[in-house]
């Protein structure tokens, strides 16, 4: 593998190449360890060395990665007239600087100053005019754009510095309160007291399953391109932009790494550790835990591996019609408009037939955080996943860790149920888990459909018997 040739073609990755060349860590060592990995523990060791080498290289060589030039949207007060004045001002400025004889240069300088003053005056007039229109709209619509602008500007970017959080800290120690927050979001499931014949069956091989081919270079490039580079990094503190460049540079190495995970049926332990970020919910007036959404920040390399798995899983589900057509959320080619149109059709048909119609909308509280692992694994087996994929998703769900940090304190928990919000696999796993509910034998006159974790029931019937 030619690491030097690959890394030199991408800016910023010379950091790692220089780090390797100084003898502190050889890329061949990690590559050899990866080839000889024959168990999940060996694979975890390789990934730990990879994360350590990247972190040490970034620490020893703090090279700034180049940013893409930003193109901000033009101001609302800007106009073609101002654009023309700007061009004329720049034109006179260039003419003034290019003239050498003093008489001509002095006249050109006066013309430039006169044009620049005119341009500045017109800009100020346009700004004042736009501000009067913006503030005048408040008289006719007090809850319009001005109210939204003021409210958005007053939001606290750090939810852990909010008033409700600080008040609770007055009566609790920081570690104890952090632990209570984690227990609220990631509570353990109650003990299973059902009879033995109600327990979930062990995973079994389904007839439509087939041997898993290794991931290809094209699949890896597609999964890498789907990673958003400006997302917050996970606990390894490796930015998404840097992870994308790493995978593009050491393409063969990471392809072998992900294929080793597929062959061993193992989701690496280092990629199951997440950092909890609490995002405020809009227009929520409840307590602190109910007014915030727990988002788990994961490693960028973990997201790329999940993208590889989800792409194949989605292909299997769609090509074999394994998803209920009445599930409109988290699916490619299906939009909220389709869900609304189908709902409107059911209601319109009931009204046209002179029937009574009742619409019930059910929202499953904390759906992702309360997903039952045994039921999901059993469902994955029933739809025809191969044993290696079932083993990977079993490893993905088990022994996860979530850490919440605040003011130097940290608290860690291991969720026994649920799927991390912020993971690539969460939406598609939820569709698989929720599908059997829509396939239940509902009574005549009952129509059920779902969008993500929202379930809609349309009940219609004869007015005399309704």
């Amino acid at each position: 593998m030619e690491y030097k040739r690959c890394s030199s073609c991408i800016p910023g990755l010379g950091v790692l190449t220089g780090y390797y060349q100084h003898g502190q860590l050889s890329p061949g060592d990690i590559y050899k360890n990866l080839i000889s990995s024959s168990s999940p523990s060996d694979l975890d060791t390789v990934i730990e060395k990879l994360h350590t080498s990247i972190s040490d290289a970034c620490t020893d060589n703090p090279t700034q990665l180049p940013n893409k030039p930003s193109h901000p949207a033009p101001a609302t007060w800007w106009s073609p007239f101002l654009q023309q004045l700007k061009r004329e001002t720049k034109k006179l400025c260039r003419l003034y600087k290019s003239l050498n004889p003093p008489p001509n240069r002095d006249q050109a300088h006066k013309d430039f100053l006169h044009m620049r003053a005119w341009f500045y005056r017109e800009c100020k007039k346009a700004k004042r005019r736009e501000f009067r229109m913006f503030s005048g709209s408040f008289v006719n619509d007090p809850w319009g754009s001005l109210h939204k602008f003021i409210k958005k500007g007053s939001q606290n970017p750090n939810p852990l510095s909010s008033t409700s959080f600080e008040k609770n800290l007055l009566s609790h120690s920081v570690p104890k309160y952090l632990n209570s927050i984690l227990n609220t979001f990631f509570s353990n499931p109650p003990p299973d007291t059902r009879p033995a014949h109600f327990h979930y069956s062990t995973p079994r091989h389904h007839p439509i399953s087939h041997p898993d081919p290794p991931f290809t270079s094209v699949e890896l490039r597609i999964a890498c391109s789907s990673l958003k580079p400006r997302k917050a990094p996970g606990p390894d503190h490796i930015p998404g932009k840097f992870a994308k460049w790493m995978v593009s540079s050491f393409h063969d190495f990471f392809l072998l790494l992900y294929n080793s995970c597929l062959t061993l049926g193992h989701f690496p332990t280092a990629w199951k550790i997440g950092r909890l970020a609490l995002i405020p919910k809009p227009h929520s007036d409840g307590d602190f835990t109910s007014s915030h959404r727990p988002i788990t920040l994961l490693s960028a390399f973990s997201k790329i591996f999940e993208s590889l798995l989800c792409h194949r899983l989605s292909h299997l589900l769609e090509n074999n019609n394994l998803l209920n057509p009445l599930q409109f959320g988290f699916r490619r080619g299906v939009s909220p408009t389709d869900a609304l149109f189908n709902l409107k059709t059911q209601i319109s048909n009931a009204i046209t037939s002179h029937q009574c119609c009742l619409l019930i909308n059910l929202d499953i509280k904390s759906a992702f955080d309360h997903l039952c692992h045994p039921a999901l694994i059993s469902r994955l087996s029933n739809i025809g996943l191969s044993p290696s994929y079932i083993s990977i998703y079993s490893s993905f769900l088990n022994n996860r860790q979530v850490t919440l940090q605040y003011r130097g304190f940290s608290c860690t928990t291991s969720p026994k149920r649920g799927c991390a919000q912020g993971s690539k696999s969460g939406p598609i796993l939820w569709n698989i888990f929720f599908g059997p509910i829509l396939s239940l034998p509902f009574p005549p006159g009952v129509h059920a459909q779902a969008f993500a974790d929202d379930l809609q029931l349309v009940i219609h019937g004869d007015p005399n018997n309704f």
Side-chain angles (χ1 to χ4, degrees):
M1 297 178 62
E2 300 182 6
Y3 291 95
K4 298 178 183 179
R5 179 182 61 82
C6 295
S7 61
S8 61
C9 63
I10 299 178
L13 285 182
V15 173
L16 285 182
T17 304
Y19 186 71
Y20 291 139
Q21 287 175 347
H22 284 83
Q24 299 180 8
L25 182 65
S26 172
D29 295 340
I30 301 180
Y31 183 62
K32 292 177 182 177
N33 294 336
L34 179 59
I35 294 178
S36 61
S37 298
S38 58
S39 65
S41 59
D42 296 339
L43 192 60
D44 289 337
T45 303
V46 170
I47 293 177
E48 287 289 345
K49 288 184 178 180
L50 176 65
H51 285 193
T52 302
S53 64
I54 294 176
S55 300
D56 293 344
C58 293
T59 302
D60 298 343
N61 302 273
T63 304
Q64 280 289 339
L65 298 179
N67 293 322
K68 293 183 179 180
S70 59
H71 301 283
T76 56
W77 50 268
W78 191 256
S79 64
F81 174 68
L82 294 177
Q83 183 68 29
Q84 183 63 27
L85 287 181
K86 183 179 179 181
R87 291 196 192 98
E88 295 295 333
T89 304
K90 288 186 175 181
K91 182 179 179 181
L92 291 177
C93 181
R94 290 192 296 269
L95 178 63
Y96 152 67
K97 291 181 179 180
S98 63
L99 294 178
N100 291 326
N104 297 334
R105 185 183 179 92
D106 294 341
Q107 184 61 36
H109 188 210
K110 292 179 181 179
D111 295 340
F112 163 67
L113 294 178
H114 176 73
M115 180 61 70
R116 187 178 64 175
W118 185 21
F119 173 65
Y120 286 166
R121 285 196 305 269
E122 294 298 329
C123 288
K124 290 181 179 179
K125 290 179 182 179
K127 290 179 181 180
R128 293 193 189 101
R129 191 183 311 112
E130 182 67 21
F131 182 75
R132 291 192 192 99
M133 294 176 58
F134 178 72
S135 57
S137 63
F138 182 72
V139 178
N140 300 326
D141 186 11
W143 307 109
S145 57
L146 184 60
H147 175 265
K148 294 179 181 178
F149 174 78
I150 296 174
K151 186 176 181 180
K152 182 178 180 180
S154 62
Q155 287 181 351
N156 195 335
N158 184 9
L160 294 184
S161 301
S162 60
T163 304
S164 59
F165 184 83
E166 298 291 347
K167 286 182 179 179
N168 288 321
L169 283 181
L170 296 177
S171 56
H172 300 83
S173 62
V174 175
K176 184 178 179 180
Y177 189 57
L178 293 181
N179 191 25
S180 66
I181 292 177
L182 289 178
N183 291 334
T184 303
F185 286 126
F186 308 102
S187 58
N188 292 328
D192 195 352
T193 59
R194 298 173 302 169
H197 63 278
F198 280 106
H199 290 175
Y200 299 104
S201 59
T202 56
R204 62 182 184 277
H205 189 69
H206 197 273
I208 71 171
S209 298
H210 50 80
D212 298 316
F215 296 120
T216 63
S217 299
V218 177
E219 288 180 290
L220 182 56
R221 291 191 183 96
I222 294 175
C224 185
S225 63
S226 66
L227 181 66
K228 297 181 180 179
R230 296 186 180 274
K231 289 291 185 180
D236 54 6
H237 302 289
I238 299 176
K241 181 186 295 186
F242 192 83
K244 292 184 69 171
W245 286 345
M246 278 290 298
V247 175
S248 300
S249 174
F250 304 103
H251 183 84
D252 296 336
F253 171 79
F254 280 96
L255 185 61
L256 177 62
L257 175 64
Y258 292 134
N259 280 323
S260 300
C261 296
L262 179 64
T263 303
L264 296 175
H266 175 64
F267 200 92
T269 305
W271 293 349
K272 295 191 290 185
I273 302 175
R275 199 159 47 96
L276 190 66
L278 302 179
I279 307 300
K281 296 180 181 178
H283 312 295
S284 180
D285 298 329
D287 57 357
F288 181 80
T289 53
S290 63
S291 60
H292 290 77
R293 182 175 289 107
I295 303 298
T296 305
L297 305 179
L298 302 171
S299 171
F301 299 117
S302 169
K303 293 181 180 179
I304 295 176
F305 184 43
E306 288 187 62
S307 297
L308 289 169
L309 297 173
C310 291
H311 180 74
R312 287 194 173 184
L313 182 56
S314 176
H315 182 76
L316 172 68
L317 296 175
E318 297 293 345
N319 286 3
N320 294 279
N321 298 322
L322 297 176
L323 289 179
N324 195 300
L326 297 177
Q327 172 60 278
F328 295 95
F330 306 135
R331 297 182 62 181
R332 180 174 297 178
V334 182
S335 65
T337 306
D338 298 324
L340 292 174
F341 180 78
N342 190 65
L343 192 65
K344 178 180 178 295
T345 302
Q346 295 293 329
I347 297 175
S348 299
N349 293 338
I351 295 176
T352 305
S353 303
H354 304 286
Q355 294 180 340
C356 290
C357 185
L358 176 65
L359 173 63
I360 301 176
N361 191 15
L362 303 176
D363 181 20
I364 302 177
K365 182 180 179 182
S366 303
F368 279 69
D369 300 329
H370 294 86
L371 193 145
C372 180
H373 292 174
L376 177 59
I377 297 302
S378 178
R379 177 62 180 159
L380 290 175
S381 174
N382 293 334
I383 66 175
L385 279 189
S386 63
S388 60
Y389 272 85
I390 295 177
S391 177
I392 288 176
Y393 278 112
S394 298
S395 175
F396 169 76
L397 295 171
N398 295 326
N399 301 322
R400 301 193 67 90
Q401 293 184 2
V402 180
T403 302
L404 179 61
Q405 299 176 348
Y406 178 70
R407 291 186 179 178
F409 296 93
S410 64
C411 186
T412 304
T413 186
S414 297
K416 303 300 181 184
R417 60 180 176 180
C419 186
Q421 296 189 45
S423 65
K424 295 279 188 177
S425 303
I428 192 170
L429 291 179
W430 172 256
N431 278 352
I432 296 173
F433 176 79
F434 198 69
I437 296 180
L438 298 175
S439 302
L440 292 174
F442 291 99
V446 177
H447 169 79
Q449 68 177 55
F451 186 86
D453 57 349
D454 295 329
L455 177 64
Q456 295 85 34
L457 296 175
V458 179
I459 306 173
H460 55 87
D462 188 8
N464 299 325
N465 301 324
F466 194 70

